[in-house]
Amino acid sequence: MDKVTKQNALNAHNWVGVFLSVLLFLVCLSGTIAVFHLEFERWEQPHIQEMDNVTPDAIEKAMSTFLAQQTEESHHLYVVFPTSDIPRLVVENDHAAFFADTEGNLLEQESVSFTQMLVDLHIFLNLPQSWGMILVSALGAIICTLVVTGIIAHKRIAKDAFKLRRGGNGQQAQIDLHNRFGLWAAPFHLLIGITGAYFGLAGIILVIVASLNYDGDRDAVINQIFTPDPVLAPQEGAPAIGKAFGQMATLAPEKSPIFLTVHEVGEPEQFIEIYAKAPNRMIYAEGYRFDTAGNYLGVAGYEHGEWGKQLVWAMYRLHFGDFAGLTSKWLYFILGVMLTMLCVSGMEIWLSKKAHPPLASRLWYSVVWGSVSALALTAVADMFFAGSLIAVFWVLMATNTVLTLTVKSLTKPVWLAISGFSVLILLVVYAAFHGEASLTVASLQLNVPMAAYVVWSLYRASVLLKRAKRGLPQSDSTMVESQQVNA
């Protein structure tokens, strides 16, 4: 490829990354953490009874009690089974959700405010959903652009694939790491970008496909992807969800039921659908359908449908790594950290080209490490505050910005230490708030990694502060000009 093409690709790579750096970083950071969103839901209420399975009678009792208490009109009822990735029994409608024990007794209302804020940050950037998702999906396309232009701009991609130069002031080593992260994990980054872009652009894709192949009939396209509701004689009475669930052991003994939905509650077209995870398949789930009386009707056909239908139903698992338990989640987390660090190091390369302007550098590190602090303190606030956590998070982010503008000593190592202490505060408050429940699996599976982050961040901040006092360059905050990236 000629030099002009490579230079144009490098310019596009630089400027796209710079102008969208903050948004890209927040989406990548929140997405990396949100890989464990189901684990965070358990973490928020660690004292709830957990179980491996549940009986049909317990499900019926839990839903009956729930409906007696929740009398508001709802178009759907849901039951989340302990055979899902959350080993708890949950009954809910469109307005509220309650946990139940193994006997079907209701426990307490589900409260996952922090997890919801975190997921909304990743999917919508906490903006109104309609155009927030479009913006985030556009950022997914931008990630693909950055991956492609980065690869094109690399002058010796094969020769430098495993190069990691060390020594000197460490600048070249970090530049090499930026290139290696971008190259080694390029397939994952493209996968995340493409699947992320899909979620927001699905509506546009729907219109295009309908126009090209179905004379503009969008419902026809939807019916190809999402199996139409069954045509039934008018249904009456309460849905026999226990009876329907009891048949799953015979209908699909190899599958794990995830959740149950009662569609069109109280209407003549009411029916029950149980979603079950298919082993060795990427689709989210197969749907097993029953009438109101619990009589089996058939499957929705996602597991063995056309490849396009299966691909659409695999998008969620492909994007969040939810297909091989904690193994795939930890793999996605590590690769997500690499993608997030690409945002960080890429911006540092640009700052180095500008001779590291002090204010711009401080502002960038207040975003990078200040966002970790803001998330931790938002989680603390959730334990005592019933208001909007979105407001709490963005007020903390705005406070970080104001402090950075006024306090010149808030350099990278200081912000890194602040993030570590913030997570430490979260762990201490969490232990005090939840008591013995903070020692359960639901707590420890997240608290242990967070404790490891505290140790690493405080140690790393100490090292950088000592270097600064000795007048030595900080290898991961001082970069050479961007033209040297591919030298």
Side-chain angles (χ1 to χ4, degrees):
M1 200 169 293
D2 60 78
K3 291 184 178 181
V4 174
T5 301
K6 289 182 177 292
Q7 188 58 49
N8 289 337
L10 180 59
N11 291 337
H13 186 84
N14 288 342
W15 288 110
V16 169
V18 167
F19 281 117
L20 298 173
S21 58
V22 173
L23 298 181
L24 286 169
F25 172 80
L26 289 175
V27 169
C28 292
L29 174 67
S30 57
T32 298
I33 300 173
V35 164
F36 298 108
H37 65 281
L38 296 177
E39 286 72 21
F40 268 105
E41 288 187 13
R42 295 171 64 188
W43 178 83
E44 289 198 61
Q45 293 173 286
H47 56 282
I48 297 298
Q49 182 185 28
E50 298 192 335
M51 60 199 81
D52 295 325
N53 50 60
V54 67
T55 64
D57 290 341
I59 293 173
E60 284 277 13
K61 179 180 178 181
M63 181 58 75
S64 297
T65 307
F66 175 78
L67 291 176
Q69 297 179 4
Q70 306 294 321
T71 57
E72 64 269 58
E73 183 178 349
S74 177
H75 293 292
H76 301 89
L77 297 175
Y78 305 95
V79 179
V80 179
F81 304 121
T83 46
S84 67
D85 290 326
I86 300 180
R88 298 174 178 182
L89 175 62
V90 185
V91 289
E92 57 186 295
N93 59 15
D94 293 332
H95 311 289
F98 277 78
F99 294 106
D101 62 19
T102 54
E103 302 299 321
N105 302 305
L106 295 191
L107 299 175
E108 66 179 70
Q109 187 166 359
E110 183 182 56
S111 177
V112 291
S113 301
F114 175 76
T115 304
Q116 190 60 57
M117 186 281 298
L118 175 65
V119 173
D120 284 352
L121 177 61
H122 178 62
I123 299 177
F124 312 117
L125 276 173
N126 294 148
L127 298 170
Q129 293 185 8
S130 56
W131 52 283
M133 179 173 280
I134 293 176
L135 172 59
V136 173
S137 297
L139 292 174
I142 293 298
I143 289 174
C144 295
T145 301
L146 290 170
V147 172
V148 173
T149 55
I151 292 175
I152 293 174
H154 203 296
K155 295 179 180 179
R156 299 191 303 245
I157 191 169
K159 183 178 179 181
D160 293 345
F162 298 98
K163 180 178 291 186
L164 184 57
R165 289 164 286 191
R166 307 188 65 84
N169 58 17
Q171 296 170 355
Q172 193 62 61
Q174 177 136 356
I175 294 172
D176 285 344
L177 274 179
H178 178 84
N179 290 337
R180 299 302 79 76
F181 281 1
L183 178 61
W184 297 337
F188 168 79
H189 300 157
L190 286 172
L191 174 65
I192 292 299
I194 292 170
T195 54
Y198 162 79
F199 290 115
L201 302 178
I204 298 174
I205 296 172
L206 171 65
V207 172
I208 294 173
V209 173
S211 300
L212 293 176
N213 299 307
Y214 295 89
D215 296 324
D217 187 353
R218 301 181 189 180
D219 290 337
V221 182
I222 293 174
N223 289 338
Q224 287 293 318
I225 300 173
F226 304 96
T227 305
D229 292 350
V231 178
L232 303 171
Q235 304 288 294
E236 296 180 352
I241 60 176
K243 178 181 176 182
F245 178 76
Q247 297 176 61
M248 290 301 296
T250 302
L251 292 171
E254 78 286 0
K255 294 184 173 69
S256 298
I258 303 173
F259 68 94
L260 172 153
T261 301
V262 179
H263 300 272
E264 308 302 330
V265 175
E267 301 296 329
E269 58 270 27
Q270 173 178 277
F271 73 98
I272 303 166
E273 187 163 25
I274 296 178
Y275 297 89
K277 185 186 298 185
N280 303 318
R281 308 287 291 188
M282 258 330 236
I283 63 164
Y284 180 72
E286 178 60 279
Y288 290 78
R289 296 176 165 188
F290 306 81
D291 64 16
T292 295
N295 300 309
Y296 177 59
L297 301 173
V299 298
Y302 303 125
E303 183 178 2
H304 300 292
E306 297 179 357
W307 70 268
K309 177 182 288 190
Q310 292 192 48
L311 179 61
V312 169
W313 276 80
M315 285 294 181
Y316 170 83
R317 296 201 185 282
L318 284 172
H319 190 73
F320 284 101
D322 184 23
F323 52 83
L326 285 176
T327 300
S328 59
K329 289 186 178 183
W330 275 109
L331 175 63
Y332 266 55
F333 177 79
I334 293 170
L335 292 170
V337 169
M338 293 172 68
L339 180 57
T340 305
M341 293 311 299
L342 276 175
C343 297
V344 177
S345 58
M347 188 60 181
E348 289 178 338
I349 291 171
W350 184 83
L351 288 170
S352 70
K353 183 178 179 181
K354 303 299 179 182
H356 285 285
L359 180 57
S361 297
R362 295 202 313 272
L363 285 170
W364 174 242
Y365 293 124
S366 75
V367 171
V368 172
W369 303 111
S371 59
V372 177
S373 173
L375 285 171
L377 296 179
T378 300
V380 172
D382 183 39
M383 300 178 205
F384 308 98
F385 178 64
S388 170
L389 292 187
I390 292 176
V392 172
F393 174 76
W394 287 104
V395 166
L396 287 169
M397 290 294 288
T399 301
N400 290 344
T401 301
V402 172
L403 289 173
T404 302
L405 291 171
T406 55
V407 182
K408 295 182 179 181
S409 60
L410 290 177
T411 56
K412 175 183 178 176
V414 176
W415 274 116
L416 183 55
I418 289 173
S419 74
F421 280 118
S422 298
V423 176
L424 178 60
I425 290 171
L426 169 60
L427 292 174
V428 172
V429 174
Y430 184 92
F433 187 85
H434 291 289
E436 292 183 359
S438 62
L439 299 177
T440 61
V441 172
S443 297
L444 293 176
Q445 64 181 348
L446 292 181
N447 285 344
V448 170
M450 282 193 275
Y453 174 81
V454 171
V455 173
W456 173 83
S457 60
L458 295 181
Y459 169 77
R460 187 61 182 163
S462 174
V463 170
L464 294 178
L465 285 171
K466 289 178 180 178
R467 286 183 180 176
K469 289 179 180 179
R470 296 200 304 267
L472 296 175
Q474 297 174 15
S475 62
D476 47 359
S477 64
T478 305
M479 312 291 292
V480 294
E481 293 188 356
S482 61
Q483 287 87 348
Q484 291 179 283
V485 172
N486 301 305

